[in-house]
Each structure stands twice: as structure tokens, then as C-alpha cells.
Amino acid sequence: MVKQVIATGALFGATAAFGAGFQVLEQGAANIGTSMAGSVTNASGDASAAFWNPSAVFYTQTEVGSLRVDAAMNFILPSFEFEDDGTSYNPLGKNGNNGGNAGDLELIPNFFTVYRFAEDFAFTFSVTAPFGIGTEYDENWIGRFQGVESRVTAYDINPSISWKLFDWLSISAGASAQYLEAKLTQAYYLGGGMETMSKIKGHSWSAGANIGATINYMEGGRIGFSWRTKVSHDLEGDLDIIGVTTMPVNANLVLPQTFNVGIYQRLQGDFRKFAVMFDYSYTCWSSFSALVVNSDATGAPVSYTKEDWKNVSRVAAGVHFHPDTIENLVVRFGVAWDGSPVPNAVRRTVRIPCSDRLWISTGIGYEYENIQLNIGYAYIMFYDDSEIRSTTDNSYISGKYTGHSHVVSAQIGYSW
């Protein structure tokens, strides 16, 4: 029974509330307005490039010796609702409801800074949460023996150096220190019609790196590229079956490497009020092929959970409109398609009811002297219903999920 608890409550079976998988894409309110299109080319000219592509910070309005800081807060309200097809069961039979709305309001802060210490060199620094989730079902729902609460967050601290080699080319390199923490709960069957709760807590420190390049191919036009390495976490934690036992466990989780490429172009002539942008992202979720949980006491595996996640693509397109009537105002629009790494209904779990997602977004930005304000809104919806057929030793969950998220982001930038 202990093995079953660890397997089905495994340390990173977390539901994705925002980006596909459990990736958090909401980095920078200005980027939210275009569904993240233009982020890798720094289309909005803010310090969020410190995360997306530090080589593009030379398109931030900073002079030698100046410092630019941007701070953002993202308010994310996700909804994940399960509908049983009538065949689900747990150790108590068909005992339990559909779980209600499993999504919780999440507040995600971002912090970015750029210091241009020489004409051709800049230092950047970002503090973000690039992976994470917070979901919670009703404690008496039918799938409680596979998951109730999931709290997982990866905090990333990322300094980088950018170098402008030529007027048309800049490059960057940086390193990340990443802290990961998790809390997962679920029901545990004691036998004789009785149950209790189990809880897993775990944490880890690890490191990664990033590189980037930006090419200014013509006036008002540039191409950006960035790569963030995979980050391998060796988690240490405890499994607590309330009233039964507590044991130390460990697991390895490899967060995926990501590739981003984008193009930005400010139009000319009669269309000079507009800028267009397109981004393509490739996330290597195949690193999440299986999860092995080990006992600290013996070093032997106590569970093996097959995931078989696949690598996925994301495409985004956006438009900036700069009206002549209000100087320093920009209005933004964007759409995106975000593919899910979960391969099928059998691999989908109650902690990962992930599906392909469609983004529709808008936003505005305004600059006054050395202050820049940005507000973005995005509506993210499951493109289709997510079927689930998740089996454990004593529980079977079958049905479908529907879901969406509202994202509101506000950001203030200041230069001095």
C-alpha cells in the first residue's frame, strides 16, 4: 500500500494551470498582451528580456551607466473541472463527487533588471517561477486516492551577461540557480471501509544555463534566439501517511530544455503605426519519461511511474498598434497555440489533466518619462475536452476534463 501511495502521489504529478505541462509562461505583463509573441525579441523594449533572451536587452531604452528595473504581478485564475463517465471507482466503490473546480487563484511575481555598464556590454538579472502549479479538489471526491492537493513551484534566479559584437549582432550567456518545492496530498485506504490522508513534501536546489542571440537584419526588424538548458533536480522529502507511518523518500526530476526563436518587425509607410511579431517555442518534455521514487533507508526503488511525455511546440503571433493621437501609448493583441505533452488519456492523471491550449490576449502600455506601465490580459482555454483513463492499484478514474484560465498581469518599469 505504501508503494501505491508513492506511485500515485508521485512528487511531480502536478496539473498544469498555465502553460502546457507544468510550465509557467507568464513572464512579463507586456508579453502577456501578445500571448508571449515578441518576448524573445524584446518587442516591448522592457527588462523582461533578462529572462527570455538577455541578448535583446540592447533594445531596451538604456544608456551607458543606466539601470532599468521591471516588476510584474500575474493574477491567474484557472478552472479544471472533471466529469465522471460513470465507470470511475475507488476502494469504497463509486464513493465521491466530481471534485469541484480544482483550480486555485495563483499570484506569480516577476522581477527583471538590466544594467548597461558599457556601450557594448550589459548585465541582466531575473527572478521568476518558470514551472509550477497549485490545484486542490474536494477532499471527498471520487479520485481522492489519486490526488487531492498539488503545490509545486520552481523559483529561478538568473544573472546573465550580454555582449554587442556588432551593430547587427548581440549575444548573451547566463546561469540559473533554481529551487524547487512540492506538497502533494491524497487519500490512503486503511481497509475495512476506513481511510486517512497521505502527504508528500519535497525540495531541491539545482542549476542550469542559458544562451541567446539577436540579429538586427533591417531597420525596425530583428530575429532572436534563446536556449535554456534542462535542470536536473534530486529531491529529498518525506511521505507521511497520517496515523500510520512516516518515511524519507527521494526522486529525480529533469525539467525540460527549451528553445525559442522569434521575429519582430516595425512596419513602415502607411502601416508605420503597427509592429508584428511571431515566436516559436520547442519544449523537450520527453525528459519526463518516467518517475522513479526511492527509499532513503534502502536506496531501492519503491515505485516506477511511466509518463511518456512528448516534446511539444508552441506558436504565437502578435500585433502592436501605436496610435498617433496618444504619444507613447501601445495597444497589443495576440494569439497562440500551446501543445500538450501528455500523449493520451491513459497517461493523463488527475494531477495532470493537460490539453492543447488556445491563447487569446490583449494589453496596453504607456511610457511617461522614465516610467513604463503595462497591463495584459489573456484567456487560455483547453482546445478540446481532455479524456482521462487513469488506473492505480485500487482506483480507476474515467471521464473528461474541461478547463480555462484568466490571466491579468500588471507591470511597472523604471529607469535611472
Side-chain angles (χ1 to χ4, degrees):
M1 293 298 290
V2 169
K3 178 178 178 179
Q4 182 269 329
V5 167
I6 298 174
T8 60
L11 235 64
F12 281 91
T15 304
F18 322 125
F22 45 90
Q23 189 175 18
V24 179
L25 296 169
E26 289 78 357
Q27 313 295 344
N31 300 318
I32 293 290
T34 54
S35 297
M36 314 313 293
S39 57
V40 74
T41 51
N42 197 14
S44 297
D46 63 9
S48 67
F51 173 82
W52 288 106
N53 177 14
S55 71
V57 298
F58 294 104
Y59 298 95
T60 305
Q61 295 180 5
T62 54
E63 303 295 333
V64 175
S66 66
L67 179 71
R68 168 67 183 261
V69 173
D70 280 272
M73 178 62 75
N74 303 283
F75 303 84
I76 305 177
L77 183 61
S79 173
F80 296 100
E81 295 190 356
F82 170 71
E83 182 181 343
D84 185 10
D85 65 7
T87 64
S88 301
Y89 63 84
N90 59 41
L92 301 177
K94 296 186 178 297
N95 179 278
N97 59 35
N98 281 346
N101 178 13
D104 286 340
L105 173 66
E106 296 293 327
L107 304 180
I108 301 178
N110 312 138
F111 176 82
F112 317 98
T113 187
V114 177
Y115 175 59
R116 192 166 181 177
F117 60 88
E119 181 66 29
D120 297 327
F121 290 92
F123 171 79
T124 72
F125 184 79
S126 67
V127 181
T128 60
F131 296 91
I133 185 56
T135 59
E136 188 171 3
Y137 297 89
D138 296 342
E139 287 193 357
N140 64 339
W141 86 290
I142 195 168
R144 62 189 179 275
F145 291 88
Q146 296 190 21
V148 175
E149 182 181 5
S150 303
R151 306 283 171 189
V152 180
T153 308
Y155 303 94
D156 192 89
I157 302 170
N158 187 182
S160 297
I161 292 291
S162 301
W163 179 21
K164 191 174 184 179
L165 283 82
F166 310 103
D167 288 341
W168 58 272
L169 174 65
S170 57
I171 60 174
S172 63
S176 291
Q178 198 171 94
Y179 177 73
L180 197 100
E181 63 179 4
K183 174 189 176 184
L184 301 171
T185 71
Q186 68 184 78
Y188 178 82
Y189 187 55
L190 296 170
M194 299 179 63
E195 62 183 273
T196 186
M197 293 293 292
S198 71
K199 177 173 63 177
I200 292 176
K201 284 189 174 182
H203 60 90
S204 167
W205 276 98
S206 192
N210 60 282
I211 60 172
T214 304
I215 298 173
N216 183 14
Y217 64 88
M218 65 174 291
E219 182 181 356
R222 54 188 181 268
I223 296 172
F225 168 81
S226 68
W227 171 55
R228 301 186 74 87
T229 66
K230 64 184 180 181
V231 179
S232 181
H233 282 274
D234 293 316
L235 292 109
E236 298 290 339
D238 293 296
L239 167 64
D240 180 18
I241 304 175
I242 298 174
V244 178
T245 187
T246 299
M247 67 166 60
V249 293
N250 64 82
N252 174 259
L253 175 74
V254 180
L255 297 179
Q257 63 178 327
T258 58
F259 299 86
N260 297 280
V261 63
I263 185 169
Y264 167 85
Q265 181 65 60
R266 180 70 183 263
L267 303 183
Q268 306 296 321
D270 294 340
F271 298 97
R272 65 186 181 280
K273 299 178 185 178
F274 295 91
V276 295
M277 57 221 69
F278 177 85
D279 279 27
Y280 172 79
S281 301
Y282 189 72
T283 305
C284 297
W285 277 117
S286 59
S287 63
F288 194 42
S289 60
L291 179 64
V292 181
V293 180
N294 301 302
S295 166
D296 277 5
T298 65
V302 295
S303 75
Y304 177 88
T305 305
K306 194 171 183 62
E307 300 292 347
D308 272 345
W309 280 22
K310 60 184 180 180
N311 299 337
V312 293
S313 296
R314 184 180 189 275
V315 293
V319 176
H320 285 181
F321 173 62
H322 302 264
D324 290 335
T325 53
I326 306 178
E327 189 177 1
N328 298 326
L329 177 72
V330 57
V331 183
R332 305 181 176 100
F333 304 95
V335 296
W337 173 265
D338 195 8
S340 170
V342 179
N344 51 52
V346 174
R347 292 288 175 249
R348 186 169 287 114
T349 72
V350 302
R351 297 190 188 275
I352 315 177
C354 186
S355 175
D356 296 341
R357 296 161 189 233
L358 177 67
W359 291 51
I360 302 173
S361 64
T362 187
I364 59 172
Y366 183 74
E367 187 173 353
Y368 176 74
E369 295 183 350
N370 56 347
I371 300 174
Q372 189 180 65
L373 302 173
N374 288 284
I375 298 175
Y377 168 78
Y379 179 70
I380 308 171
M381 57 182 160
F382 281 13
Y383 181 72
D384 54 11
D385 294 334
S386 297
E387 294 185 353
I388 181 172
R389 294 189 296 275
S390 178
T391 305
T392 63
D393 291 345
N394 60 8
S395 177
Y396 175 66
I397 301 301
S398 181
K400 65 180 181 180
Y401 279 90
T402 56
H404 64 266
S405 292
H406 297 280
V407 180
V408 178
S409 183
Q411 176 177 315
I412 183 169
Y414 188 79
S415 301
W416 65 89

